Amino acid sequence: MTASATSFTIGATLTRADIPVLCADLAELVRGRSGGGVVVCDVADVVRPDVVTVEALARLRLTARRHGWNLTVTGACPDLLELVRLLGLTDVLIQAGRQPEQREEAGGVEEVVDGRDPPR
């Protein structure tokens, strides 16, 4: 069975009042589709990410999971990525195709330490 993918876009600005509407729209989009799959949530239009943005993404992820789908975030600006990290939700709200940031090690890469190097 092949998992399917569908896209979902979040607008430039969000209020808390928008969250239930977004969740209902997502539920309608995935409801009845067999086999589940991945919802790729594009947040590239978000201009000023805040806690409401992160809350919306978390609730959208929950809505997708309730319908047997996974939600992946793409197009996140550095400010949104930092906010997600500060809120401790990096492992929950994974960005699709995310590349390691400058000076950040890629996942699964461990730093090799030379025993002759002095401790820091």
Side-chain angles (χ1 to χ4, degrees):
M1 181 185 318
T2 305
S4 61
T6 189
S7 59
F8 189 80
T9 303
I10 291 181
T13 58
L14 291 174
T15 66
R16 277 210 164 79
D18 296 326
I19 295 174
V21 175
L22 285 171
C23 291
D25 289 348
L26 179 59
E28 185 65 31
L29 180 67
V30 298
R31 187 176 291 123
R33 291 189 173 189
S34 62
V38 177
V39 175
V40 179
C41 185
D42 185 0
V43 296
D45 291 340
V46 175
V47 290
R48 292 189 188 144
D50 57 12
V51 174
V52 173
T53 308
V54 177
E55 179 183 349
L57 291 172
R59 293 198 35 206
L60 286 168
R61 182 179 185 277
L62 180 60
T63 300
R65 296 293 300 156
R66 286 181 176 157
H67 288 72
W69 289 69
N70 291 314
L71 183 121
T72 307
V73 178
T74 187
C77 66
D79 289 343
L80 179 55
L81 292 174
E82 181 66 12
L83 186 56
V84 168
R85 186 188 69 74
L86 287 171
L87 293 171
L89 296 173
T90 304
D91 292 339
V92 176
L93 300 174
I94 300 170
Q95 184 181 11
R98 182 177 176 274
Q99 296 296 318
E101 294 179 15
Q102 187 177 1
R103 295 181 315 218
E104 178 182 8
E105 294 180 2
V109 175
E110 294 185 26
E111 182 178 344
V112 177
V113 178
D114 187 342
R116 298 173 294 196
D117 288 342
R120 294 185 213 188

